Every structure is written in C-alpha cells, then in structure tokens.
Amino acid sequence: MADLTRRGLLAAGALTLLAGCGEDRPAQQAANGRPQGTVNVWLHGSQDTGRQFQELVHRYMADFQVDVRLLYLPVGQLDAKLLTAFSGGAPPDVFKIGHWSFPAHAKKNRLAPVDTKALSPQNYEPGTTAPLTYQGVTYGVPIDFNPCLLYYRKDRFEQAGLDPDKPPSTWEEIAEHSGKLTSADGRRVGLQWLYGDAQWALMMLTALIKGQGAEFPSLATEQGIKALTYMKGIGNPKLSNPLGALGLFYSGEAAMVVSGAFLGPALEKLGKDKLTFGKQYGVAPMPTWSGGQSVVPAYTWGWGVAKDSPNQFTAWHLVNYLQGAPAVTANLDNGIIIPAKGWREAGPRGKSEIMKIVADSLPRVDFGPIIPGTLELAKAAAGAVDSVAHGKATPAQAAATFDATVRTIQ
C-alpha cells in the first residue's frame, strides 16, 4: 500500500522518523492518567508498506498530543539492533518483536509488565498472550498471530487422481498423498517443508512430537526420531524459489505447505487470476497423527515496552490504541490477526474459511517451549531437520546432537 506523503505528515506536525538509536529523553510520566510526551517505536518493515498503520499513528498524535517517533528496520536486523540498544541503555519505548524473543529479554529484566491501567490483557482471546508471558508476568500483547494451517493445490490433486475436495487430515495421509504428488525427478513434490527456517523447524517438530503424546524439546526419543525420519521422507530440500516454499506452492511445484493465515492474501497479491481460493487451492486444519492428539503449532509477534522507558503509561496507551478495532479490521484484510476478542466480526475476511479454521484451532495452539533460549533452540531444530534432509546425518545422529545442544541451552 502507498504510504502517507511526507508533505502531509510534515504539514500535520506528525511523524518523526529516526535514523538511529534513542536520544536523551527527560523523565516523563502520565498526568492524571492521560498520555503525554514522546514515544519512540521500533518495528520491522518500511513506511512504504504501512499506510494504515501510519494513519492510525497520525490520528493518535492528533487526538492525544503525543509525539510518536517511528524507526523501521529490516526484520533480520531488528533483534540485533534492539539488543545493542538495551546494552547501551537507550532502548526504544515500544518495539514489535517475535514471541520467541520475549523470554530472554524478560529474564534480563529489560521489559515492562503490561500496564493494566492503559491496556487489559483480558481483551485478548484466551491463551494468545501466553507466549508473551514469562514466569507468570505478561510482558506483551499479540499482533500478527498465526496458528498453522494446511494449504493444498486442488489442481495438483486432480492431476494426481486425488479428490480435490478431500484434503488429508493425518500425517499418514500427507505421506501417502505426497507419494502420489511427487514426480520421478523430484521437481514436483507433495508437502514441502520450509527448510532453513529456524522458527518453522521448531514448530513442525513441536507438532510431530507432541502430537504423538511425547514431551519436547527432545529428539533422542522414539517419537523424536520418528519425526525426523518422517520429515526426511517428504519434500525436496534442493528445490528453490525466491519466495521459498510459499513460492513453490504458488508455482505449483509444491502441492502442499503448512503456513499461517497471512498466506491467503499473499497469494492473492501474487496473482489472483492464477491461484484462486476454492478453485486452484484450498485450506484445511493442521494434520494430526492417526489416533493422536491435535497440536496446532503457532507463533505471534508482540508489542513490548522497555522497563527503562520514562514514559511507560503512554507507551502502553499507544499500543492499546494501535490494537483497536480499526487496526483489527485493516490487518485482517492482509491476513494479519490481532486476536482481540471479537476479531472475526471486525471485517468480511474474519468470516472466511481460513479464519474459521484459525478460530477453531485456538484451544489447541502450541507455541513450543517458552524459555530464554528459544532462539538457540529453534536454530538447533533447523540444524537437525536440515542435516537429515540433506543426508548429512541420520535421524539418530541429528537427534543426539540436538539433545546435547538443548542441555547447554536449558
């Protein structure tokens, strides 16, 4: 989407975009429960893609006479820059980071607990603040919440003689379908994993292992080795696309992928005429093992506030504003879920089949281990999955290496 023009922002005396870390800021406190002063916000993305967000920030500044300063960062740089800012004693007031980063920051006493005078965690769907909670204290609220779904190509199913209106519901059926959907040269496959992605490797192992009734993180178990062996037997790690597995799904090289609710709108933007929901592709709930329990791996980004922020009340007040009904509706159009209660009624997309599956899965979502070493754990999970997929290690060898790494993390 087009951004607000720089001229319009300057004319309104609105958004200040910073190019570096925080600056010296005097202590600020809310007067009579009213927001005031300056709030520095760091988030991933760019101002070229956030028109609705910037309009919302603009309105907040006009309504409350608060100066909001935004710094957009590439997603791959956000964690490192934030760590540097914390180490230097100059973190932003507000930041948007993955749930996997919250426990480590909370353990080091960098985060401010949610200020319930400015924002109520009770306004969110049950369980959705769990990954932003550490040792019983809630340090953030969720945005871009994504339980996993199965996306499948109906056209590929038809070509393989499979029923396009009957997607697989178990991992055993996934394997059977993948065998029929995989070409002899491996250039076209059934289910394709998101190889090389640490967080997605961790989520898939969470589903495959806990779905067997075992605990995780541990791979050196019967269930863990079964999970690695299963992942090796499906997909092709040598396939490549600039958009990864999602691009392979769009091209038709992959007939199935596990992804979040954001994929539907993303596919529409790539080319609605080529790939239309209900015609060329469909969605289904996350598979389970036959006779096993349902485990829906999930992730979320969250808004957090620095403990050293001199303006915590206003920071949380801004976050609460950014999570209001207008933002819930606008984000749903892009497949981004802010799981405030009643989110499905916020716009037409909330009533879609994809969002119905998401809503039905909420009681079974699993964010994996919520520990300070989650990032290291995810990297170890990706290492195990990729080493087995590329034939560099047997499942048993990869499992032993993973468990040895886990012992140093925990």
Side-chain angles (χ1 to χ4, degrees):
M1 293 183 289
D3 192 7
L4 288 175
T5 64
R6 178 177 174 82
R7 179 182 299 176
L9 291 173
L10 292 175
L15 234 42
T16 302
L17 302 177
L18 300 182
C21 289
E23 54 191 32
D24 291 337
R25 298 170 293 178
Q28 305 171 60
Q29 296 296 332
N32 300 319
R34 235 188 119 69
Q36 66 174 35
T38 300
V39 177
N40 292 287
V41 181
W42 287 11
L43 66 165
H44 67 275
S46 77
Q47 56 185 322
D48 295 328
T49 59
R51 176 182 175 185
Q52 181 275 337
F53 176 76
Q54 293 213 47
E55 287 177 342
L56 195 60
V57 171
H58 184 189
R59 289 200 298 273
Y60 181 84
M61 289 190 292
D63 289 346
F64 296 99
Q65 303 303 303
V66 171
D67 182 20
V68 179
R69 303 181 177 186
L70 299 180
L71 176 62
Y72 291 95
L73 294 163
V75 66
Q77 298 178 16
L78 180 55
D79 279 335
K81 190 168 180 65
L82 186 61
L83 183 61
T84 299
F86 274 124
S87 299
D93 300 286
V94 178
F95 37 85
K96 186 169 75 171
I97 55 176
H99 83 260
W100 47 89
S101 297
F102 272 81
H105 288 310
K107 182 181 180 181
K108 292 185 178 295
N109 204 28
R110 295 168 177 158
L111 305 181
V114 171
D115 187 337
T116 56
K117 294 180 180 178
L119 180 155
S120 174
Q122 301 304 316
N123 290 337
Y124 292 84
E125 293 278 7
T128 58
T129 61
L132 310 173
T133 299
Y134 182 67
Q135 294 186 340
V137 179
T138 302
Y139 290 100
V141 291
I143 182 172
D144 198 0
F145 171 79
N146 272 288
C148 287
L149 311 161
L150 176 70
Y151 288 76
Y152 67 100
R153 292 286 301 246
K154 291 190 169 204
D155 50 357
R156 287 284 314 278
F157 273 42
E158 285 185 310
Q159 293 166 10
L162 298 169
D163 188 343
D165 296 317
K166 190 178 180 181
S169 60
T170 67
W171 291 116
E172 289 88 350
E173 290 176 342
I174 290 283
E176 182 180 350
H177 279 53
S178 289
K180 296 177 180 178
L181 291 159
T182 300
S183 61
D185 61 4
R187 296 300 305 173
R188 288 163 70 83
V189 298
L191 181 69
Q192 179 75 352
W193 308 107
L194 277 68
Y195 298 101
D197 190 296
Q199 185 59 31
W200 282 91
L202 185 64
M203 290 196 295
M204 292 306 96
L205 287 174
T206 295
L208 291 168
I209 294 172
K210 297 186 79 169
Q212 298 177 66
E215 291 300 315
F216 185 67
S218 176
L219 289 180
T221 62
E222 177 185 347
Q223 296 86 353
I225 292 174
K226 178 180 177 180
L228 288 173
T229 303
Y230 180 86
M231 294 185 76
K232 176 179 173 58
I234 293 174
N236 182 356
K238 296 180 180 180
L239 293 180
S240 63
N241 183 284
L243 297 177
L246 308 185
L248 293 170
F249 182 78
Y250 179 75
S251 70
E253 292 165 88
M256 294 179 283
V257 291
V258 172
S259 189
F262 66 86
L263 182 57
L267 293 171
E268 292 176 11
K269 291 178 181 178
L270 286 174
K272 189 173 182 179
D273 294 338
K274 178 177 179 180
L275 203 61
T276 304
F277 175 74
K279 293 184 179 179
Q280 288 86 12
Y281 81 97
V283 294
M286 189 70 183
T288 64
W289 291 107
S290 180
Q293 63 190 51
S294 175
V295 176
V296 181
Y299 74 88
T300 188
W301 289 78
W303 289 112
V305 170
K307 184 182 179 183
D308 291 340
S309 166
N311 204 5
Q312 288 183 21
F313 174 84
T314 302
W316 283 118
H317 188 273
L318 169 64
V319 169
N320 189 56
Y321 189 92
L322 296 177
Q323 300 280 91
V328 174
T329 301
N331 276 283
L332 269 180
D333 288 340
N334 293 315
I336 296 173
I337 299 168
I338 298 176
K341 290 180 179 177
W343 62 273
R344 288 195 68 203
E345 286 69 45
R349 195 178 288 275
K351 300 295 184 182
S352 69
E353 184 176 345
I354 291 176
M355 297 306 174
K356 181 182 185 306
I357 293 174
V358 169
D360 290 344
S361 72
L362 286 177
R364 299 181 299 280
V365 296
D366 192 313
F367 295 94
I370 307 299
I371 60 173
T374 298
L375 280 173
E376 291 76 13
L377 189 66
K379 291 175 183 176
V385 169
D386 291 354
S387 65
V388 172
H390 288 281
K392 297 179 180 179
T394 66
Q397 291 169 337
T401 300
F402 175 86
D403 277 29
T405 302
V406 168
R407 285 192 289 271
T408 66
I409 293 172
Q410 296 182 319

